[in-house]
């Protein structure tokens, strides 16, 4: 650690400048100028999905989203309300039509560049046919109006449980992971697709609305209502969106280097959760010592007043269930550090595909357990030895760390089983080299999507040796390799 480092804000500005220069140097060469002799590309349909190995229809081809504008006229708990999503996008091919991921809700109308467009729904796919084709490289705007249903949920038989709109006693929160954002708004719903978001949420006068990023304004509108406007500030994946409404108190403080902290807490839970929430600056300092500067402009905890036991790394505003913050200190800190670590792994460095989830969840579990060991929790090595013993069984039941199946995506292999891969890598290359790999990953891919192939290549480059032969059996093999430095560790027989 550099004991003479500048303030957090100055460091962030310097980092942003460096990233801007890098982007300028590495940006693709601009397309050649269009002339009279340039052939015109025939418009064709954009792909209805990106071909993700687990969710092939998630995301859409033929365009990239430049910004979302979400307008919600929220009324009351479990009560439908009017909503509109405006998408500013750029085509990556000449488009005769294109798709949005959009599930449930009552569709009213779709326009493209202000003109009414044809729209057809098939499952989660909303196919939009504009009045005129969209040229390759053209900017265009899509607006979808609909009635949102804040009771819509889906269920998974893994760690996610219920997701989508989750009602609370006086409002709602959202659990968009893995692909529940389409229950909230139409979009390009894949973790590798990122865009900034402007949220405009109107609520009754006695409710507070919150969302990712910075509060831009709060204004009174007719009918004793409030309009809350938030800017995500940085691009984010749709699975990391958070917007919540309720009788909240906004508790503001500062983290290391003056980082703005904002906790969003139901009024009745402000005092009961205060002691554990006050630990966030310590968690930030601990992680920054290992990973480098926190990658966003602000952070905070949204205390979920629900019965769900699932915490979620929604970008800059982690959703932590109230039960986590009303239990033991060790358990609370494990969950808080886990979601905070995700801001580096999974949020700042997004997933390239769902098969790369091990990178995100493995790192969050790795640092969660490492922190916990030093703060009253169980032995990290003992937890890894237990995971090693079960690894062959997990491989059979849930797939190897980087080879999940859709039903087993959020099973234990992606958590302790993937943390074990990182533990093995640390044992292989040593603590000092491992830390260099970690810092190189979060700084080199900050603000981008990256996956398993990139992780193996970067680890090899930093370590100065080809690690593919070491890591691939850990990530893809049917049998668990020997653990470096622990010849006595034994894998249990598979049943």
């Amino acid at each position: 650690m550099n004991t003479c480092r500048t303030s957090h804000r100055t460091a962030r500005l310097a980092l942003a400048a460096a990233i801007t220069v890098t982007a300028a140097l590495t940006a693709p060469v601009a397309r050649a100028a269009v002339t009279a002799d340039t052939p015109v590309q025939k418009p064709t349909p954009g792909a209805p999905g990106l071909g993700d190995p687990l969710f092939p229809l998630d995301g859409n081809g033929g365009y990239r989203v430049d910004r979302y504008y979400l307008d919600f006229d929220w009324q009351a708990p479990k009560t439908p309300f009017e909503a509109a999503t405006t998408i500013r996008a750029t085509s990556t091919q000449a488009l005769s039509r294109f798709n949005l991921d959009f599930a449930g809700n009552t569709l009213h109308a779709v326009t493209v560049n202000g003109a009414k467009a044809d729209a057809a729904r098939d499952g989660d796919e909303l196919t939009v046919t504009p009045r005129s084709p969209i040229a390759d490289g053209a900017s265009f705007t899509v607006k979808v109006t609909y009635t949102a249903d804040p009771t819509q949920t889906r269920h998974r038989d893994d760690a996610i449980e219920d997701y989508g709109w989750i009602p609370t006693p006086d409002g709602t929160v959202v659990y968009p992971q893995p692909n529940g954002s389409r229950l909230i708004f139409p979009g390009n719903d894949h973790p590798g697709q990122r865009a900034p978001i402007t949220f405009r949420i109107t609520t009754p006068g006695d409710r507070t609305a919150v969302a990712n990023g910075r509060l831009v304004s709060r204004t009174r509108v007719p009918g004793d209502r409030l309009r809350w406007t938030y800017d995500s500030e940085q691009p984010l994946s749709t699975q990391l969106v958070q917007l919540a409404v309720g009788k909240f108190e906004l508790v503001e403080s500062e983290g290391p280097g003056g980082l703005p902290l904002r906790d969003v807490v139901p009024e009745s839970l402000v005092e009961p959760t205060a002691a554990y929430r006050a630990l966030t600056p310590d968690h930030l300092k601990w992680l920054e010592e290992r990973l480098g500067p926190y990658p966003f402009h602000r952070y905070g905890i949204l205390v979920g007043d629900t019965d769900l036991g699932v915490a979620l790394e929604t970008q800059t505003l982690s959703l932590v269930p109230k039960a986590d913050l009303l239990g033991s200190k060790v358990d609370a800190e494990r969950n808080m550090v886990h979601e905070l670590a995700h801001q580096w792994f999974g949020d700042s460095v997004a997933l390239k595909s769902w098969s790369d989830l091990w990178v995100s969840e493995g790192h969050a579990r790795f640092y969660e357990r490492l922190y916990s060991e030093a703060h009253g929790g169980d032995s990290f090595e003992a937890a890894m030895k237990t995971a090693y013993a079960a690894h062959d069984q997990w491989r059979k039941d849930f797939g190897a760390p980087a080879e999940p199946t859709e039903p087993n995506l959020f099973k234990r292999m992606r958590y302790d089983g993937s943390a074990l891969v990182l533990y093995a890598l640390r044992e292989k290359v040593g603590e000092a080299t491992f830390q260099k790999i970690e810092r190189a990953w979060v700084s080199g891919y900050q603000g981008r999507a990256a996956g398993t192939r990139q992780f193996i290549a970067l680890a090899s480059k930093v370590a100065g040796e080809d690690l593919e032969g070491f890591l691939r059996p850990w990530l893809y093999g049917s049998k668990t390799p020997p653990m470096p430095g622990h010849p006595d560790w034994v894998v249990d027989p598979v049943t």
Side-chain angles (χ1 to χ4, degrees):
M1 182 180 69
N2 182 359
T3 57
C4 299
R5 78 177 195 176
T6 58
S7 72
H8 199 114
R9 180 171 296 177
T10 302
R12 289 202 307 274
L13 291 173
L15 179 61
I19 292 171
T20 301
V21 172
T22 302
L25 293 174
T26 60
V29 177
R31 298 180 184 181
V34 176
T35 68
D37 297 327
T38 302
V40 177
Q41 187 183 83
K42 180 181 178 181
T44 56
L50 294 176
D52 187 278
L54 273 63
F55 300 94
L57 287 178
D58 283 12
N60 304 282
Y63 66 92
R64 70 170 184 271
V65 175
D66 299 317
R67 180 174 282 270
Y68 294 96
Y69 300 86
L70 308 183
D71 290 276
F72 295 98
D73 191 21
W74 193 90
Q75 298 296 317
K78 301 182 180 181
T79 302
F81 58 87
E82 296 311 299
T85 294
T86 303
I87 301 171
R88 197 175 69 225
T90 301
S91 62
T92 56
Q93 67 179 70
L95 286 169
S96 59
R97 65 174 186 262
F98 58 90
N99 282 33
L100 299 172
D101 300 305
F102 190 42
N105 300 296
T106 302
L107 180 66
H108 296 322
V110 179
T111 62
V112 176
N113 294 331
K116 185 177 180 181
D118 290 335
R121 304 184 73 166
D122 182 8
D124 289 359
E125 296 297 321
L126 176 62
T127 301
V128 179
T129 304
R131 182 175 297 177
S132 301
I134 299 170
D136 183 19
S139 297
F140 64 99
T141 299
V142 186
K143 184 174 183 179
V144 182
T145 56
Y146 56 102
T147 298
D149 180 358
T151 66
Q152 286 193 110
T153 62
R154 289 180 173 174
H155 181 79
R156 291 182 59 87
D157 292 325
D158 56 20
I160 292 296
E161 301 178 7
D162 295 329
Y163 65 103
W165 293 101
I166 304 297
T168 64
D170 52 29
T172 186
V173 298
V174 297
Y175 280 77
Q177 197 177 77
N179 52 13
S181 73
R182 65 193 60 185
L183 299 172
I184 318 301
F185 62 97
N188 203 9
D189 190 11
H190 185 272
Q193 304 298 303
R194 304 154 58 91
I197 301 178
T198 298
F199 303 84
R200 295 181 288 239
I201 310 164
T202 304
T203 69
D206 64 345
R207 298 295 196 278
T208 297
V210 295
N212 311 84
R214 176 176 66 93
L215 175 62
V216 175
S217 64
R218 184 188 68 172
T219 57
R220 290 208 167 269
V221 295
D224 191 28
R225 293 175 65 78
L226 295 170
R227 177 172 293 128
W228 307 77
T229 301
Y230 288 86
D231 181 357
S232 69
E233 299 182 290
Q234 289 125 312
L236 70 163
S237 305
T238 50
Q239 60 132 347
L240 301 174
V241 166
Q242 183 55 256
L243 61 95
V245 176
K247 293 184 177 180
F248 296 131
E249 185 170 325
L250 305 182
V251 182
E252 297 184 350
S253 59
E254 286 190 354
L259 179 74
L261 299 180
R262 172 200 58 167
D263 290 341
V264 180
V265 193
E267 292 172 348
S268 64
L269 295 172
V270 173
E271 289 304 319
T273 63
Y276 293 165
R277 289 187 291 100
L279 298 170
T280 295
D282 294 337
H283 300 160
L284 279 159
K285 180 180 179 182
W286 187 88
L287 283 167
E288 284 191 328
E289 287 171 352
R290 287 152 180 82
L291 302 173
Y294 173 74
F296 299 110
H297 298 321
R298 63 198 72 248
Y299 184 65
I301 290 173
L302 167 60
V303 180
D305 191 5
T306 77
D307 293 330
L308 287 179
V310 181
L312 197 61
E313 64 271 21
T314 43
Q315 190 164 302
T316 71
L317 184 61
S318 291
L319 176 57
V320 180
K322 62 182 178 182
D324 289 352
L325 299 169
L326 298 175
S328 74
K329 182 172 182 286
V330 167
D331 289 343
E333 288 200 275
R334 280 190 57 179
N335 286 319
M336 292 169 70
V337 171
H338 183 105
E339 304 311 330
L340 179 55
H342 269 306
Q343 303 301 312
W344 282 267
F345 300 99
D347 290 23
S348 176
V349 183
L351 304 177
K352 201 170 187 68
S353 77
W354 278 115
S355 296
D356 302 314
L357 183 64
W358 79 270
V359 181
S360 172
E361 294 298 349
H363 274 101
R365 182 55 54 88
F366 182 93
Y367 287 103
E368 162 204 332
R369 285 200 174 276
L370 195 62
Y371 178 93
S372 185
E373 178 185 55
H375 295 81
D378 296 335
S379 162
F380 182 34
E381 183 174 306
M384 292 297 95
K385 186 176 182 180
T386 299
Y388 185 81
H391 225 245
D392 274 3
Q393 188 68 54
W394 292 348
R395 286 172 189 265
K396 176 187 175 185
D397 294 341
F398 310 133
E403 285 189 321
T405 60
E406 188 276 329
N408 295 320
L409 180 58
F410 292 91
K411 295 289 189 179
R412 195 168 179 182
M413 179 57 98
R414 251 53 66 191
Y415 296 87
D416 284 291
S418 298
L420 185 70
V421 177
L422 299 170
Y423 180 87
L425 176 61
R426 191 182 70 170
E427 295 297 287
K428 168 72 173 175
V429 302
E431 175 68 30
T433 299
F434 180 77
Q435 287 199 3
K436 290 178 182 178
I437 292 170
E438 297 291 270
R439 282 178 171 260
W441 177 258
V442 298
S443 62
Y445 286 102
Q446 182 172 5
R448 295 191 284 162
T452 305
R453 182 173 60 84
Q454 289 80 15
F455 186 84
I456 293 174
L458 181 139
S460 298
K461 180 179 179 181
V462 173
E465 61 176 306
D466 187 353
L467 291 171
E468 183 163 358
F470 174 77
L471 284 171
R472 285 195 70 85
W474 276 98
L475 292 168
Y476 295 103
S478 60
K479 295 292 184 182
T480 305
M483 176 60 70
H486 296 277
D488 57 316
W489 284 18
V490 177
V491 182
D492 291 340
V494 174
T495 58

